[in-house]
Amino acid sequence: MTMTNHNEQGWAKRVFPRGLYGRAALILFLPIVVVTLVVSVMFLQRHFEGVTRQMTSSMARELAFVARRIDRAENVATALLAGETVAAPLGLILRIPAEPGEADRRLFYDFSGRVVIEVLREEVPGVASVDLASDDKRVSVTMQGRFGLYSLDFDRRRVSASNPHQLLVLMVFTSLLMTGIATIFLRNQLRPIRRLSHAAEEYGKGRIVPYRPGGAIEVRSAGTAFLDMRNRLERQNEQRKVMMSGISHDLRTPLTRLKLGLSMMSPDYPPDAEEIAAMEADIAEMNRMVDGFLDYAREEARDSPPEATRVQTFLHGIVTDAQRAGQKVDLVRFEGEAEGQATFRPDMLRRALDNLVGNAVRYGSRAEIDATLGPRSLRIGIEDDGPGIPEDSLDAAMRPFTRLDPARGRSSGQGTGLGLAIAADVARAHGGQLRLGRGPRLGGLRAEIVIPR
């Protein structure tokens, strides 16, 4: 069975073109060719042959009438006179006597000639031979009569349809015209796919080329997905660069202090308790920075599957854990179904909310949480009574390792500048966004995570 499938696939690769344009052209043009051939064959076999048979049958009756007049004559002279009297008005040329003819003759490409010979032999008695080859514009019928052989000649157009090729020519011309139009249409439809392929190939080589989605809905959707993927990768690369530069910059200060402290130590002058406490503080600060860096990197690498979670229970768990840790946090409002559920990654969203709650109680005295579970989205807001963030610094606050002085400097809370960046990345990973603004109730910073339900 496997060998059979392999052979079939190999045969398909040899028969069908490898490119999309070739396959699409084959799918589009093959039916046109098949339909043209089928219609041509049906026309030749049915319509054209039927018309030829009907015209030849009418001509056969005229030949039979002349033959009867000749056979009723008393001698050759009266037979010739009687035959010419009838044949001339009918457009027939009578020759008495006639030379013996060979077998029926017709040209090899004369398809209707076969029908003419067949009908004449069936309906006219005494036909000796039918000659269609000597002169393709005339028909010569040799007949055996009472007084010997005689021949009747007439115009070929009387037994064959005139200009039978007109329909075939029209069909071929129309097929070529439609093929040209289809080729232009197909080329225009495939151009956006080629542009998308070129943009993806160039991006794989490390080059970013301008690209705008176009074409059919499916191609536009694929192009939009590619742009989203490219932007997300570029954003992640930029964040990694900022992360590395930030962690290296932040670690340089405590490392310098430790280096100076160690250089001043000697066996004669051992460090006192104050110097040891300062070094321990520097080490603790470095541990916080490294832990924040690892948590941020771990959050980006995490790919736990989304699951349906009861929102109100989830939020109560976050508030309860925060209150147990001594933080002043309250769930002040929940709008939506009490048993309503939303699909998200609970661990990732919990970490983002924990960071927002931690920032709120670090820079303020208390925090309030409100949530709205709508038919399409879930909105979770966290508001504090701290100094807030200026309007022109909201975008910068969501960048990794960003600290805004004096309201959110390191001296006020010993933060690493990753809390808002982690929350923003978690929201984007769920297809949503993080919004920052001024809180209407407490007057401090208000952070909202909005994700699809």
Side-chain angles (χ1 to χ4, degrees):
M1 184 65 179
T2 304
M3 183 63 69
T4 303
N5 294 336
H6 180 72
N7 293 335
E8 291 178 354
Q9 293 177 358
W11 176 83
K13 290 181 179 179
R14 290 192 299 269
V15 173
F16 294 101
R18 300 184 62 181
L20 179 60
Y21 182 82
R23 295 191 177 189
L26 182 63
I27 295 174
L28 185 63
F29 300 148
L30 185 60
I32 297 178
V33 175
V34 172
V35 169
T36 302
L37 292 177
V38 170
V39 172
S40 301
V41 172
M42 295 297 293
F43 170 76
L44 292 175
Q45 290 186 348
R46 294 182 180 272
H47 177 73
F48 188 51
E49 288 188 3
V51 172
T52 302
R53 186 176 297 275
Q54 182 179 1
M55 296 175 66
T56 306
S57 180
S58 300
M59 194 67 211
R61 287 192 290 269
E62 297 181 8
L63 295 178
F65 176 71
V66 175
R68 286 194 299 269
R69 294 295 300 269
I70 293 176
D71 290 340
R72 292 175 182 175
E74 297 180 354
N75 50 50
V76 176
T78 56
L80 179 60
L81 179 60
E84 290 181 347
T85 303
V86 178
L90 295 177
L92 302 174
I93 299 176
L94 174 62
R95 293 196 303 270
I96 299 180
E99 297 180 358
E102 302 177 358
D104 299 334
R105 299 172 56 195
R106 66 180 179 89
L107 301 175
F108 69 94
Y109 58 83
D110 189 0
F111 298 103
S112 62
R114 177 183 55 82
V115 180
V116 173
I117 296 174
E118 179 183 350
V119 174
L120 290 178
R121 285 193 171 276
E122 288 178 357
E123 300 187 8
V124 180
V127 174
S129 63
V130 179
D131 184 8
L132 302 176
S134 299
D135 187 355
D136 59 353
K137 295 183 179 181
R138 301 194 63 81
V139 180
S140 179
V141 181
T142 302
M143 305 180 62
Q144 180 67 46
R146 178 181 175 185
F147 304 103
L149 294 175
Y150 62 93
S151 65
L152 291 171
D153 298 350
F154 53 89
D155 195 342
R156 175 64 186 270
R157 292 177 297 179
R158 301 182 63 178
V159 292
S160 297
S162 59
N163 298 327
H165 61 282
Q166 289 182 353
L167 178 59
L168 300 179
V169 172
L170 182 61
M171 289 172 51
V172 172
F173 174 77
T174 305
S175 300
L176 294 178
L177 177 62
M178 297 305 299
T179 300
I181 296 175
T183 301
I184 297 175
F185 175 78
L186 182 61
R187 189 182 301 274
N188 292 334
Q189 292 300 312
L190 292 180
R191 185 178 294 112
I193 301 178
R194 292 178 175 174
R195 291 177 54 247
L196 174 60
S197 175
H198 175 70
E201 183 178 359
E202 291 297 316
Y203 186 68
K205 297 177 181 178
R207 296 188 291 267
I208 298 179
V209 297
Y211 171 73
R212 185 178 63 182
I217 297 178
E218 294 79 2
V219 181
R220 289 177 179 268
S221 177
T224 303
F226 166 73
L227 290 179
D228 292 341
M229 179 192 67
R230 189 174 71 177
N231 294 335
R232 184 166 58 252
L233 292 176
E234 289 298 313
R235 185 173 60 250
Q236 290 177 354
N237 291 334
E238 185 65 25
Q239 288 175 351
R240 288 189 180 95
K241 294 178 182 178
V242 174
M243 190 187 312
M244 297 302 297
S245 62
I247 194 68
S248 62
H249 178 271
D250 290 346
L251 287 176
R252 187 176 295 114
T253 300
L255 285 174
T256 302
R257 290 199 299 262
L258 286 174
K259 183 178 179 180
L260 290 175
L262 291 174
S263 65
M264 297 176 64
M265 292 182 183
S266 66
D268 298 332
Y269 298 96
D272 56 12
E274 184 178 353
E275 292 177 348
I276 294 176
M279 292 183 183
E280 290 178 349
D282 288 337
I283 294 175
E285 182 180 354
M286 292 171 61
N287 285 331
R288 282 194 298 271
M289 293 179 186
V290 173
D291 289 341
F293 169 76
L294 294 177
D295 290 340
Y296 183 74
R298 189 183 304 113
E299 199 64 50
E300 282 194 338
R302 185 175 299 173
D303 194 17
S304 59
E307 57 184 66
T309 306
R310 183 179 172 187
V311 178
Q312 193 171 19
T313 304
F314 173 74
L315 294 177
H316 276 300
I318 294 177
V319 173
T320 302
D321 292 343
Q323 291 175 350
R324 290 176 57 190
Q327 298 173 341
K328 295 182 180 180
V329 182
D330 295 311
L331 179 62
V332 296
R333 187 178 73 255
F334 178 80
E335 298 180 0
E337 304 173 6
E339 303 293 332
Q341 294 183 343
T343 302
F344 52 85
R345 296 178 174 88
D347 295 338
M348 291 181 64
L349 189 58
R350 173 180 283 273
R351 172 156 179 78
L353 295 177
D354 287 342
N355 278 280
L356 294 178
V357 171
N359 283 344
V361 298
R362 182 180 299 117
Y363 302 112
S365 60
R366 61 192 179 96
E368 293 182 354
I369 299 178
D370 61 87
T372 301
L373 182 61
R376 295 180 178 272
S377 63
L378 169 63
R379 181 188 56 80
I380 302 175
I382 299 176
E383 185 175 337
D384 60 48
D385 58 352
I389 298 178
E391 291 289 338
D392 55 353
S393 301
L394 293 177
D395 293 336
M398 289 187 289
R399 299 173 185 170
F401 300 99
T402 299
R403 301 181 183 90
L404 305 176
D405 293 326
R408 298 183 181 262
R410 190 190 328 179
S411 60
S412 63
Q414 300 295 328
T416 59
L418 290 172
L420 294 178
I422 291 176
D425 285 344
V426 170
R428 281 193 293 264
H430 285 81
Q433 60 179 337
L434 173 65
R435 303 171 181 170
L436 301 180
R438 179 69 62 176
R441 297 189 306 273
L442 302 180
L445 177 67
R446 176 175 177 81
E448 285 186 355
I449 290 182
V450 182
I451 61 175
R453 180 171 179 178

